[in-house]
Amino acid sequence: MNAHCTRLHLFMDGELSESDAEGFRSHLPRCASCEGGLRDLLQLELLAARALGTGVAETPAAKPEGNVVSLGAWVRKNARVVAPLAMAASLCAVFVPRMMPASEVPAVVFLENQTTRELEARLSDPRADQWRRYSPMRGGADGVEAGKGTLPLRPLAEMEERKDFRGIVAAYVLHGQWQQAQAVLAREPASLARDSDLAVVALQDNRFQDALALLDPVVRADPRNPQALWNRGLALRALHQEARAARDFDQVAALGEPGWSDEARKLAEELRAAAR
């Protein structure tokens, strides 16, 4: 690694002087690490633009003097760098060279390689709803421990191409990227699963009444929905309605889900003891 390798983010954000930026452009084709990093950053910008419902031409990159330029303008300005990566021809051709089957999504996307879970609420995507012992995060602010690893971008892009909203939301939530998850949920078609996941975001924001308002219709429409019952139990517990919360966890326990039922039974017993 040389001095240029530490300047990728500065280059991407337009914070280098013109002479330094030109030096980085000359360095980039000869450095596989920087070339791969640039691909990832461009892909992240594209995904953010999609998640927020904007076009690529509207995605901002900051300049030191406070002006705002679009990602499209950045690509045009740096066409000599981008062209060898095929970015000028098609961003998506670089990011999604082949469609990955859902079964091949890396385990790290849904934290399947973790032995415990740090999110107490339950997500609607079955790939993210595998029971593991709950171990609350210590010392963090967003509900998911920092340093869990970077969310891999290629699977995220491929889920976007498949319109796999459940998977995208789950990936963002499990990696603590709540704003991105909410942006995806905001543009999803209405469904019981979407409302259940919206309630997870509301629980994270301590908006417990909002979570109840989302979950009550889900449970009425699907009285045996384990994720909605579980999440409603969490909301009721936070609102100190222990008896009602215990009933929801009793219903989850009765469903006989491995791991989840035992935990739900324990939670119900604790809530009844608290109510007494």
Side-chain angles (χ1 to χ4, degrees), residues 49-268:
R50 287 177 172 177
L52 296 172
T54 64
V56 170
E58 296 170 327
T59 305
K63 298 284 284 183
E65 57 269 24
N67 295 332
V68 175
V69 297
S70 69
L71 178 58
W74 186 94
V75 169
R76 288 192 294 274
K77 180 178 178 181
N78 295 281
R80 178 162 63 83
V81 170
V82 172
L85 306 180
M87 296 296 297
S90 170
L91 287 168
C92 290
V94 174
F95 303 145
V96 194
R98 68 175 183 87
M99 288 300 292
M100 178 188 295
S103 60
E104 294 183 18
V105 174
V108 69
V109 171
F110 302 115
L111 304 185
E112 294 168 5
N113 53 347
Q114 302 293 310
T115 57
T116 60
R117 78 181 201 277
E118 294 168 352
L119 179 70
E120 190 173 19
R122 294 181 62 175
L123 293 159
S124 64
D125 191 306
R127 295 165 293 182
D129 192 42
Q130 300 179 25
W131 183 85
R132 294 182 295 277
R133 182 177 59 83
Y134 176 52
S135 178
M137 191 198 85
R138 292 178 173 83
D142 293 329
V144 177
E145 183 180 1
K148 202 180 285 295
T150 303
L151 180 59
L153 298 175
R154 180 179 170 186
L156 201 60
E158 291 176 343
M159 286 190 286
E160 172 74 24
E161 292 298 312
R162 289 195 300 268
K163 300 189 184 303
D164 181 2
F165 295 118
R166 301 271 58 74
I168 296 170
V169 169
Y172 278 140
V173 166
L174 292 175
H175 286 78
Q177 299 179 21
W178 294 93
Q179 184 177 2
Q180 292 91 326
Q182 193 161 13
V184 175
L185 287 163
R187 65 188 179 92
E188 267 192 61
S191 68
L192 297 180
R194 185 200 68 166
D195 288 349
S196 183
D197 286 345
L198 277 169
V200 173
V201 176
L203 288 171
Q204 168 66 18
D205 292 341
N206 295 328
R207 293 183 287 109
F208 305 118
Q209 290 290 359
D210 290 346
L212 280 181
L214 287 161
L215 292 166
D216 283 343
V218 176
V219 174
R220 283 197 296 270
D222 183 6
R224 293 173 57 84
N225 185 308
Q227 293 84 16
L229 286 167
W230 182 281
N231 294 335
R232 192 172 71 172
L234 295 180
L236 290 166
R237 182 185 68 182
L239 293 168
H240 304 292
Q241 299 184 37
E242 287 85 359
R244 290 183 61 196
R247 287 197 292 272
D248 277 350
F249 286 118
D250 282 337
Q251 292 183 68
V252 176
L255 297 175
E257 298 176 288
W260 292 114
S261 288
D262 289 340
E263 185 173 339
R265 193 172 296 110
K266 180 180 178 181
L267 287 170

